[in-house]
Every structure is written in structure tokens, then in C-alpha cells.
């Protein structure tokens, strides 16, 4: 389409193409240490032994595995090193996260993490010697990557106190203490779209810095697989992770309970664990609808590698028998093996059974389906609508061109009406945009004042206390002010305002459709079979981001309990004023972000409409009219593009989901 569209439409189509190339969702695996994340990721990605699962500790940095990267890179890796500012950011960003869910232990965690960061720096200096300073803030790019390379950048390795500093240029030092993030590249493989799979350091780790890195990375992914161990599913550490993810409004996630192969009573114990996890999530988090998948990364490892160490085939068969759908898939796979494989079919059947029983195909199918239907699908639908409209306009333009080539009177009529109609419609679009922008600005000012008033009233209620006794005057060492209701009311008010704004804009845009097509018909250049429509997808599916509401309130009163007692009213009044200002600042940022997003989407809709207008009424080169064969060929090409786009984005068509063949 970039090659055939009009000059006015090409930049817009190019932008759509760029956006789609960057549409690479990510799924992060998170969970406690020893839950089996690394082996599970190997099974999920089909890279059987890529992340070693027998190294303790293995993951000390975040590792992004890119499958089908937009750069088209399919091998090697890039390893990014900390600089001094990023070391400090580990502490400051960690403070924000700890403020979301404070507990009794968090008072001393910051000091320990600070000490561990200094220890990481010391170890890096001991390992790297004079190279340390030169590496800060840089990266290493390896075109090819071996297991030994990966270990040097990601694995904790041996204690550097037992080794001399490596100052020569021949030896291969361990960089892991200095590595901030690792990126490795693969072919897209069996995934139906480009994807990034992330291995994070474990939570509940004695080395708190690894847990801190895991927490801070949570905002960087679109989907999460929370890995639990069947031995101790949904511990307090797991629940704390879930609460943090809820507070951050991370959205899409699935629970995978690993290591069912290690349960004493197999299927019976697994059913009990599954019920306990579901009940625990419902009770603690009100998350009864969260999907919980049971399985074994060990079984998937055997299926991919043939390593039968510790594998009990009777246990796998019992698991299949207990799950009829899995058994049905297995039987269908056996029939296919009989038709396609004469030698080694027995071993292939055992490995097929292990893969199906492992739960990895179910996990992969669930993640792919949810990602396809999730928030990023909005951008795909918007792109589809825009491209369809461009294709329809290009088709109409080519029809008009062919008519001009065939009929001299059509050319005269087209030339007389084109300028006037195009100017009229362009003015109509711009007037609509100005009117909607002005109206939106007034509504935003009203919303901002409402949120300020809500914050002032509810903060006063919380700080003053429901019974007239402020929690700030408690004799305990800690005081807790609960503003969850305030955050929820602010969120609901914002979403209500967004719905009203969106609906008003859609109504105005519908009216713009009617006026535009009436003007076209009046000038004799309209087409009842191909009306000009405002593509409002960017507005129709818009839902404002409320992540700002998770921002912690950090108010330091710096007064003792005795001072509170002696100056009760002044302490309470001061706290109320400071906290009110904090929440009003959050409200301002929330509305500003909402206004910016909504204005940007409105401009996208209007720019697209103007580009379609320009395409529909593009001035054809009359000085050198095309021959009829050329005009006819251009029309046929426009038809082909329109048909291919309809087929590509046809509603209800699922992306092909290919599972790797286990043979």
C-alpha cells in the first residue's frame, strides 16, 4: 500500500506499518526461587536447555528472550551494564514499590538492599579489575552466543574472593554483577506472532536485590505467568507478589502450578492443590476467575530432550487418564504417528504423552489466546480499520481515474467539482476537531475540580478519623491511613468521564459521516456503495490509563508520639493538608494524561479522515493521462489489496497456533 497509495496517504500508512512492526508483546515468568521457572521457560519456548536449571543461583539479571524481533535478528545477544545512576535507581524505584504494600519487614529492607548493591559493585570490581570503570553504562553485543557466554553475563558464578582479579584481555571474566539486562534473539519459531519471553530473578530470595529487580521489572511486561511450586503453593510470599501485581494494575496473568510430578499421591494431591490455590486466590485477592494450570516442567524437558532421568511413565499415563481432553489429544497424536513415523514411534509416543501431560501446550495456548484478545489487539483492530479505509479510498480513486480515461466529460465534471468539494469537507473536519477539542478542554477542567474536591473531602475523613479520633494519634509505633476507597472513587470518576467524552465524540463523528456523504452526493462524486466513513477506532476502544493512582503517598511528619499528643490538632491538620496536596497532584497528573491521550487519539482519527479525503480527491495528472491498460491494471491492483486486507483481518479468524512436533 505504501507503494501504490497517494502521496498524502503514504506517511499515514508508513506510520501504521511502523506501529505494527513494534507491536511485540512480552510475557514475564515470575515466582519464588526453586519454583522451576527456568526449566518451565525452556519448555514454553521450545529451547530445551537454553536456561540452565541446575545452577544455584542462576538468574541474577532480567533476561529477555526475543522471538521474531522487529530487527529481524535471530541469534546472539546484547548485555547491558549498569551505570552509577542506574545503581541508584534500584533504590529509589524500590522505595516507590515498597510504599504500595508496606509490611513489618520493609523498614530494614532498604538498608540491606543498599548494602547488597555495594557488594555487587565490589564483586564486579574484584572480577573485572581496571575494566570496571570503562564498562559502566556500556553493553556487549555478541553475534553468536554459547552457554558459557550466557553464564558469564547472567549466572552468579563462583565467589570472586576465591579468584584473583582478571585484568588480562584473554581470560573470560564474569560480568553478572555488572549486568543490568540481557537480551537474546531467536527465530519466531512456533509462536504465531513476535513475542518476548522474560526470565526474572526469583522472589523470596535471601539475596534481596534479586527480589528487588524482579519487582521493578513488573511494569515492563504485558502478560505474566506466575509460577508456583506444587509443594507449597500460594505461600505468604506468593500472596504478597499477587497483591503487588494487583496494586500495579498489571492486568493479564495466569497461574502455573509446577512440579506436580513430585507430589506423593499424584493426581489426587494435584486436585487438592488446585482447589486450595483457587480458594486462596478468591479469598485473598477476590480473583476467582484467574486461570490456574497444573503441570510439570520436568515432563516437558523429557519430551523435548529425551532425557528420561526421574521420569515415571506410569505417572504420566495416570495423569492423562485423569484428564480426558489431554488423553483425547494424546490418542489423536498416536494416530498421526502411526501414519507418519515407522521407526522410533514408541519413544515418540512416550515423549508426546509427556508433553501433553506437562501442561505446557495448555499454557502456551492460553497465553497466545489472551495476548491476541488482550489490550494490544486494540491497536491491531485500529490498524485494520485504517488500512481498510485507505484501501477502499484507493479503490474508489482508481475507479474515478479509469472513468476519466474512458470519458472526457467525466474528466471535466471531476475537475469542476473536486476543488470545491474537497475544501468544503476539509473545513468541516477541522471545524469538528476544533469543537470537540474545546469541549473536551472544558470537561477536563470540570473533572480536575471534581477530583480535587473528592480528594479534599475523603482525605479529611480518613485523617480526622471516622469516630473523631485520628489514626495519627495512635499510641502504636506505626499508623496506617487507608486511602483505597479514595483511589477507587477517583478511578471510577475518571472512567465515567472517559465514557461520556468518548460517546460524545463518537456521536459528533457519526454526524460528520452523514454531512460528508451528503456533500459528496450533492457534488456528484459520492458512491453509495463506498461511502466516506470516519474511522473512530482509536476513540471507540479507548480506556484511560489509571496507573498513576497506584503512586504511593510519601508524607514524612517527623514528629514523636509525645509531640503528637501535645500538639494534636496541629499535627492532624498538617498531615491532612500535605496528603490532600499529594492526592490533588495525582489528580492533576491523571487528568493531564487523560487529556493528552484523548486529544492524541482524536487527532489520529481526524488526520486519518483528512488523508482519506486527500486520497479520494487527489488531483490526477491530466497533462499525461494514463493509458486505459495502465488505469485498468491500477484498478485491479487496488481491488487485490482491498480483498487481501479483508481476508487478513477477517473477524473470527484465529492466528495459526503451531505446537512443536515431539519426535
Amino acid at each position: 500500500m505504501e507503494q501504490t497509495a497517494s502521496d498524502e496517504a503514504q506517511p499515514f500508512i508508513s506510520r501504521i506499518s511502523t506501529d505494527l512492526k513494534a507491536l511485540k508483546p512480552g510475557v514475564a515468568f515470575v515466582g519464588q526461587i526453586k519454583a522451576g521457572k527456568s526449566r518451565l521457560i525452556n519448555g514454553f519456548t521450545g529451547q530445551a536447555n537454553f536456561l540452565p536449571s541446575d545452577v544455584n543461583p542462576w538468574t541474577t539479571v532480567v533476561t529477555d528472550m526475543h522471538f521474531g524481533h522487529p530487527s529481524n535478528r535471530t541469534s546472539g545477544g546484547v548485555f547491558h551494564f549498569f551505570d552509577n545512576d542506574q545503581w541508584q535507581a534500584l533504590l529509589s524505584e524500590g522505595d516507590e514499590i515498597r510504599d504500595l504494600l508496606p509490611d513489618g519487614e520493609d523498614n530494614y529492607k532498604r538498608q540491606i538492599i543498599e548494602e547488597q548493591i555495594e557488594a555487587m559493585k565490589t564483586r564486579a570490581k574484584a572480577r573485572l579489575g581496571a575494566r570496571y570503570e570503562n564498562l559502566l553504562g556500556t553493553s556487549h553485543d555478541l553475534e553468536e552466543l554459547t552457554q558459557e557466554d550466557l553464564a558469564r553475563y547472567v549466572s552468579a558464578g563462583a565467589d570472586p574472593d576465591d579468584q584473583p582479579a582478571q585484568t588480562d584481555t584473554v581470560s573470560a571474566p564474569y560480568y553478572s554483577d555488572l549486568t543490568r539486562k540481557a537480551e537474546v534473539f531467536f527465530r519466531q519459531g512456533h509462536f504465531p506472532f513476535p513475542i518476548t519471553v522474560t526470565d526474572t530473578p526469583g522472589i523470596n530470595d535471601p539475596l534481596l536485590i534479586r527480589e528487588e529487580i524482579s519487582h521493578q521489572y513488573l511494569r515492563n511486561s504485558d502478560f505474566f505467568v506466575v509460577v508456583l511450586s506444587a509443594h507449597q503453593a500460594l505461600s505468604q510470599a506468593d500472596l504478597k507478589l499477587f497483591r503487588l501485581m494487583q496494586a500495579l494494575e498489571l492486568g493479564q496473568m495466569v497461574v502455573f502450578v509446577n512440579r506436580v510430578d513430585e507430589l506423593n499421591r499424584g493426581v489426587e494431591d494435584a486436585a487438592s492443590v488446585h482447589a486450595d490455590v483457587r480458594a486462596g486466590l478468591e479469598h485473598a485477592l477476590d480473583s476467582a476467575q484467574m486461570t490456574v494450570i497444573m503441570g510439570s516442567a520436568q515432563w516437558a524437558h523429557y519430551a523435548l530432550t529425551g532425557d528420561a532421568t526421574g521420569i515415571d511413565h506410569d505417572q504420566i499415563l495416570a495423569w492423562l487418564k485423569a484428564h480426558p481432553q489431554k488423553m483425547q489429544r494424546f490418542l489423536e497424536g498416536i494416530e498421526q504417528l502411526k501414519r507418519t513415523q515407522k521407526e522410533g514411534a514408541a519413544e515418540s509416543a512416550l515423549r508426546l504423552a509427556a508433553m501433553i501431560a506437562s501442561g505446557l501446550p495448555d499454557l502456551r495456548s492460553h497465553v497466545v489466546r489472551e495476548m491476541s484478545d488482550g489490550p494490544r489487539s486494540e491497536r491491531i483492530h485500529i490498524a485494520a480499520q485504517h488500512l481498510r479505509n485507505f484501501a477502499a479510498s484507493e479503490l474508489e480513486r482508481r475507479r474515478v481515474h479509469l472513468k476519466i480515461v474512458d470519458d472526457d466529460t467525466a474528466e471535466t465534471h471531476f475537475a469542476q467539482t473536486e476543488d470545491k468539494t474537497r475544501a468544503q469537507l476539509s473545513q468541516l473536519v477541522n471545524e469538528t476537531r476544533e469543537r470537540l477539542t474545546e469541549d473536551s478542554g472544558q470537561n477536563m477542567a470540570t473533572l480536575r475540580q471534581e477530583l480535587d474536591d473528592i480528594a479534599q473531602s475523603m482525605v479529611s475523613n480518613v485523617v480526622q478519623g471516622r469516630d473523631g479520633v485520628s489514626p495519627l494519634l495512635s499510641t502504636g509505633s506505626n499508623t496506617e491511613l487507608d486511602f483505597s476507597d479514595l483511589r477507587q472513587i477517583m478511578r471510577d470518576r475518571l472512567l465515567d468521564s472517559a465514557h461520556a467524552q468518548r460517546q460524545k465524540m463518537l456521536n459528533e463523528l457519526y454526524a460528520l459521516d452523514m454531512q460528508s456523504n451528503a456533500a459528496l452526493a450533492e457534488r456528484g462524486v459520492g458512491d453509495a456503495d463506498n461511502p466516506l466513513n470516519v474511522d473512530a477506532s482509536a476513540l471507540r476502544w479507548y480506556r484511560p490509563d489509571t496507573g498513576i493512582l497506584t503512586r504511593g503517598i510519601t508524607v514524612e511528619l517527623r514528629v514523636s508520639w509525645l509531640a503528637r499528643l501535645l500538639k494534636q490538632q496541629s499535627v492532624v491538620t498538617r498531615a491532612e493538608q500535605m496528603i490532600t496536596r499529594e492526592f490533588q497532584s495525582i489528580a492533576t497528573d491523571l487528568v493531564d494524561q487523560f487529556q493528552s491521550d484523548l486529544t492524541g487519539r482524536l487527532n489520529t482519527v481526524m488526520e486519518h479522515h483528512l488523508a482519506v479525503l486527500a486520497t479520494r480527491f487527489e488531483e490526477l495528472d491530466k497533462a499525461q493521462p494514463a493509458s486505459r491498460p495502465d488505469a485498468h491494471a491500477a484498478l485491479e491492483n487496488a481491488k487485490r489489496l482491498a480483498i487481501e486486507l479483508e481476508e487478513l483481518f477477517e473477524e473470527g479468524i484465529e492466528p495459526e497456533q503451531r505446537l512443536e512436533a515431539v519426535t
Side-chain angles (χ1 to χ4, degrees):
M1 292 189 69
E2 287 178 314
Q3 295 173 356
T4 61
S6 67
D7 292 341
E8 291 89 345
Q10 283 179 0
F12 208 99
I13 293 174
S14 179
R15 193 171 81 184
I16 294 173
S17 178
T18 300
D19 288 344
L20 288 176
K21 288 177 181 177
L23 193 63
K24 183 179 59 60
V27 52
F29 283 67
V30 297
Q32 293 194 56
I33 59 172
K34 297 297 186 181
K37 291 196 309 298
S38 295
R39 180 154 286 185
L40 186 63
I41 292 173
N42 289 340
F44 182 82
T45 61
Q47 305 296 317
N49 289 308
F50 181 75
L51 295 175
S53 55
D54 56 353
V55 180
N56 185 30
W58 169 247
T59 308
T60 60
V61 299
V62 170
T63 302
D64 284 340
M65 303 170 66
H66 300 298
F67 294 85
H69 194 269
S71 67
N72 295 324
R73 184 168 179 176
T74 59
S75 64
V78 180
F79 301 90
H80 306 272
F81 299 131
F82 281 105
D83 61 25
N84 289 322
D85 290 339
Q86 290 162 345
W87 284 122
Q88 184 59 36
L90 277 179
L91 279 175
S92 57
E93 292 179 14
D95 289 340
E96 294 180 13
I97 291 176
R98 283 189 294 276
D99 285 340
L100 291 175
L101 292 173
D103 60 27
E105 299 177 352
D106 287 332
N107 294 330
Y108 68 85
K109 277 187 176 181
R110 190 184 197 280
Q111 181 179 353
I112 295 177
I113 291 171
E114 190 169 10
E115 293 171 355
Q116 291 179 354
I117 290 175
E118 291 302 318
M120 290 173 68
K121 293 181 182 180
T122 300
R123 284 197 305 270
K125 291 175 182 177
R127 283 172 168 159
L128 302 171
R131 299 184 236 190
Y132 172 82
E133 293 292 338
N134 294 330
L135 289 171
L136 288 174
T138 65
S139 62
H140 282 177
D141 189 335
L142 307 183
E143 293 186 5
E144 300 295 333
L145 192 63
T146 66
Q147 288 291 314
E148 292 75 17
D149 292 330
L150 188 65
R152 289 190 294 112
Y153 288 95
V154 179
S155 171
D159 191 332
D161 291 339
D162 299 333
Q163 300 174 333
Q166 295 166 306
T167 57
D168 61 278
T169 58
V170 178
S171 58
Y174 268 75
Y175 298 96
S176 55
D177 284 310
L178 191 60
T179 306
R180 179 176 58 87
K181 186 176 76 168
E183 296 184 89
V184 290
F185 302 88
F186 304 89
R187 297 185 183 279
Q188 187 170 314
H190 56 249
F191 293 110
F193 45 71
I195 190 172
T196 294
V197 179
T198 301
D199 186 19
T200 64
I203 65 167
N204 203 28
D205 193 315
L207 189 60
L208 294 179
I209 187 60
R210 287 203 286 267
E211 178 175 283
E212 193 67 34
I213 291 172
S214 294
H215 284 169
Q216 293 186 26
Y217 194 82
L218 293 176
R219 288 192 175 103
N220 295 347
S221 285
D222 308 295
F223 195 96
F224 297 88
V225 178
V226 184
V227 185
L228 308 181
S229 173
H231 295 294
Q232 190 184 10
L234 215 59
S235 66
Q236 287 302 311
D238 295 322
L239 286 174
K240 184 176 179 181
L241 174 63
F242 278 114
R243 291 191 184 100
L244 176 60
M245 296 174 79
Q246 270 194 340
L248 293 172
E249 295 190 325
L250 296 179
Q252 292 182 292
M253 64 183 74
V254 62
V255 177
F256 189 90
V257 181
N258 192 23
R259 297 188 164 177
V260 298
D261 56 300
E262 299 176 12
L263 295 173
N264 292 330
R265 296 184 299 168
V267 173
E268 185 177 349
D269 281 351
S272 177
V273 169
H274 186 272
D276 289 344
V277 170
R278 292 296 300 270
L281 291 172
E282 181 176 4
H283 175 73
L285 307 172
D286 192 25
S287 299
Q289 302 303 315
M290 192 177 298
T291 299
V292 178
I293 299 174
M294 309 287 289
S296 165
Q298 181 65 24
W299 289 345
H301 177 73
Y302 161 64
L304 291 172
T305 66
D307 179 4
T309 304
I311 296 298
D312 184 339
H313 294 291
D314 291 336
Q315 184 186 33
I316 293 173
L317 183 59
W319 187 265
L320 292 178
K321 289 180 178 178
H323 299 85
Q325 289 184 339
K326 295 182 187 294
M327 177 59 80
Q328 181 62 34
R329 290 176 62 185
F330 172 62
L331 295 176
E332 292 172 356
I334 290 296
E335 291 301 317
Q336 184 175 359
L337 283 175
K338 289 179 180 178
R339 294 192 301 269
T340 60
Q341 188 171 343
K342 303 302 181 183
E343 297 182 2
E347 171 65 15
S348 295
L350 292 175
R351 292 169 65 178
L352 175 63
M355 177 57 78
I356 294 173
S358 74
L360 266 298
D362 297 323
L363 176 63
R364 187 163 44 247
S365 177
H366 177 84
V367 170
V368 166
R369 183 173 60 253
E370 291 298 309
M371 281 187 158
S372 299
D373 297 338
R376 269 170 163 61
S377 66
E378 175 191 350
R379 290 170 60 185
I380 294 178
H381 286 303
I382 291 173
Q385 287 295 102
H386 286 167
L387 292 173
R388 281 170 168 151
N389 284 351
F390 277 123
S393 296
E394 177 70 9
L395 183 58
E396 174 62 15
R397 184 169 72 96
R398 293 303 176 183
R399 284 173 176 159
V400 170
H401 189 192
L402 183 60
K403 187 176 182 180
I404 291 173
V405 170
D406 286 343
D407 186 352
D408 291 340
T409 61
E411 178 178 354
T412 302
H413 175 72
F414 187 81
Q416 292 173 341
T417 60
E418 177 188 9
D419 289 343
K420 185 176 181 180
T421 306
R422 180 174 175 179
Q424 180 187 23
L425 291 178
S426 295
Q427 181 181 1
L428 184 62
V429 171
N430 287 323
E431 288 175 350
T432 302
R433 180 187 351 215
E434 291 173 5
R435 185 170 60 254
L436 289 176
T437 301
E438 181 180 357
D439 181 70
S440 173
Q442 294 173 354
N443 290 335
M444 293 297 175
T446 301
L447 175 62
R448 184 179 287 104
Q449 185 60 54
E450 288 181 10
L451 294 180
D452 282 351
D453 294 342
I454 291 170
Q456 186 171 10
S457 174
M458 294 194 68
V459 168
S460 179
N461 290 338
V462 172
V463 175
Q464 297 291 342
R466 294 181 180 178
D467 55 0
V469 179
S470 173
L472 291 174
L473 303 179
S474 170
T475 57
S477 58
N478 292 318
T479 59
E480 183 175 347
L481 301 176
D482 184 3
F483 295 107
S484 57
D485 288 345
L486 171 57
R487 296 179 193 272
Q488 186 59 48
I489 289 175
M490 292 175 71
R491 179 182 294 108
D492 291 343
R493 183 65 194 91
L494 176 74
L495 295 179
D496 288 344
S497 178
H499 175 75
Q501 283 283 308
R502 184 174 60 241
Q503 194 57 49
K504 186 167 186 177
M505 287 182 172
L506 291 175
N507 291 340
E508 288 274 358
L509 294 175
Y510 177 75
L512 179 61
D513 272 349
M514 302 293 288
Q515 292 174 286
S516 297
N517 285 297
L520 289 172
E522 181 182 352
R523 299 300 175 186
V525 293
D527 184 351
D529 296 328
N530 182 30
L532 190 69
N533 293 318
V534 178
D535 183 358
S537 305
L539 287 170
R540 183 173 292 109
W541 294 311
Y542 171 57
R543 180 181 175 88
D545 180 10
T546 60
I548 296 172
L549 282 168
T550 65
R551 195 164 74 198
I553 298 295
T554 55
V555 176
E556 180 57 70
L557 297 177
R558 296 189 181 279
V559 291
S560 66
W561 173 79
L562 180 60
R564 296 179 196 173
L565 185 62
L566 296 176
K567 300 180 180 180
Q568 293 186 9
Q569 190 57 45
S570 64
V571 169
V572 173
T573 300
R574 181 183 172 204
E576 181 181 334
Q577 292 172 346
M578 295 173 68
I579 296 172
T580 297
R581 284 197 296 269
E582 288 273 326
F583 269 106
Q584 288 177 341
S585 174
I586 289 175
T588 296
D589 292 344
L590 193 68
V591 175
D592 286 347
Q593 183 64 52
F594 173 33
Q595 186 169 15
S596 175
D597 290 345
L598 193 64
T599 301
R601 285 171 177 259
L602 176 63
N603 286 333
T604 294
V605 170
M606 293 308 194
E607 288 169 11
H608 171 261
H609 193 59
L610 287 171
V612 170
L613 276 176
T615 299
R616 180 71 64 92
F617 296 105
E618 180 191 23
E619 183 177 358
L620 302 173
D621 187 354
K622 311 299 191 308
Q624 295 180 348
S627 66
R628 192 181 194 287
D630 290 341
H632 186 269
L635 174 61
E636 291 302 312
N637 186 58
K639 288 181 180 178
R640 178 184 59 81
L641 283 172
I643 293 172
E644 287 184 2
L645 277 169
E646 286 299 325
E647 292 175 347
L648 181 63
F649 292 111
E650 183 178 353
E651 293 295 330
I653 298 297
E654 295 289 338
E656 182 182 1
Q657 300 178 21
R658 296 166 292 172
L659 301 179
E660 69 273 19
V662 183
T663 57

